[in-house]
Amino acid sequence: RCCRTTEKTEGDGLMAENEMVERFWQKVDRGDLLACWPWTAHRKKNRSGMPYGTFRAGTMRAAHRIAWEIANQRSVPPNLVVRHTCDNSVCCNPAHLLLGTQRDNVLDRYERRRDNHVRGSQHGNAKLTETDVVEIRLLLINGHSQRQIANRFGVSQHPIKEIANGRLWRHV
């Protein structure tokens, strides 16, 4: 069975599970098969402020995980997460839900630019500009030392090293 319940039941518990599934889908605005199906009941924000539907199925659980379990008739395997291919955190359309690792989920967020990280000179602590980084790369190519470049731009040697190694300012 996919969704555990603590309700007292007759027989093997299928009646309680069917009631729970019916109660669950009543809280989802199901429409077009290709569209998002938003969760209409209680929502809780995660650490980054994204709302996620929650549903009591014995314990409070993420609605999109339950939607995946109902559709696939099995529990989400340990160490895996249910990802939204639609980037809509309240969507419960099983066609938009996909299993993956937390690493997959983070890569999705990064590739789809949902990470809310301000890049480059737009960052409040930036001491360099995109133009500076282009010039730094040219100076590195022409043999200038990282220390010389750091002194010229008024920064420590560390960001110059990170630029040289391709770990900082990758978007430039």
Side-chain angles (χ1 to χ4, degrees), residues 76-143:
V76 174
N79 302 320
L80 292 183
V81 299
V82 177
R83 299 156 44 207
H84 288 92
T85 60
C86 58
D87 293 335
N88 181 353
S89 62
V90 297
C91 179
C92 291
N93 183 342
H96 295 185
L97 303 175
L98 178 69
L99 279 185
T101 64
Q102 183 58 33
R103 183 177 191 280
D104 295 331
N105 207 28
V106 169
L107 289 173
D108 288 345
R109 185 180 71 206
Y110 181 76
E111 288 169 359
R112 296 173 189 162
R113 298 194 180 268
R114 288 185 292 113
D115 51 5
N116 291 330
H117 292 298
V118 179
R119 289 181 174 83
S121 60
Q122 299 299 311
H123 192 282
N125 293 332
K127 293 182 180 177
L128 299 170
T129 67
E130 285 76 4
T131 304
D132 293 338
V133 172
V134 171
E135 188 176 345
I136 288 167
R137 289 193 177 126
L138 288 172
L139 291 169
L140 287 165
I141 289 169
N142 289 322

Side-chain angles (χ1 to χ4, degrees), residues 23-38:
R23 190 170 50 92
F24 175 84
W25 288 120
Q26 288 172 355
K27 299 174 186 312
V28 178
D29 184 9
R30 293 186 284 178
D32 183 330
L33 290 175
L34 299 177
C36 287
W37 295 357

Side-chain angles (χ1 to χ4, degrees), residues 20-58:
M20 187 277 306
V21 169
E22 185 177 326
R23 190 170 50 92
F24 175 84
W25 288 120
Q26 288 172 355
K27 299 174 186 312
V28 178
D29 184 9
R30 293 186 284 178
D32 183 330
L33 290 175
L34 299 177
C36 287
W37 295 357
W39 180 253
T40 61
H42 183 263
R43 296 175 182 187
K44 182 178 180 182
K45 291 185 178 181
N46 68 4
R47 285 181 281 170
S48 58
M50 294 291 293
Y52 284 85
T54 59
F55 181 76
R56 184 172 298 282

Side-chain angles (χ1 to χ4, degrees), residues 57-77:
T59 60
M60 287 301 275
R61 302 189 47 226
H64 67 287
R65 288 177 64 94
I66 294 172
W68 186 92
E69 289 179 346
I70 291 169
N72 291 280
Q73 299 183 351
R74 64 186 181 108
S75 294
V76 174

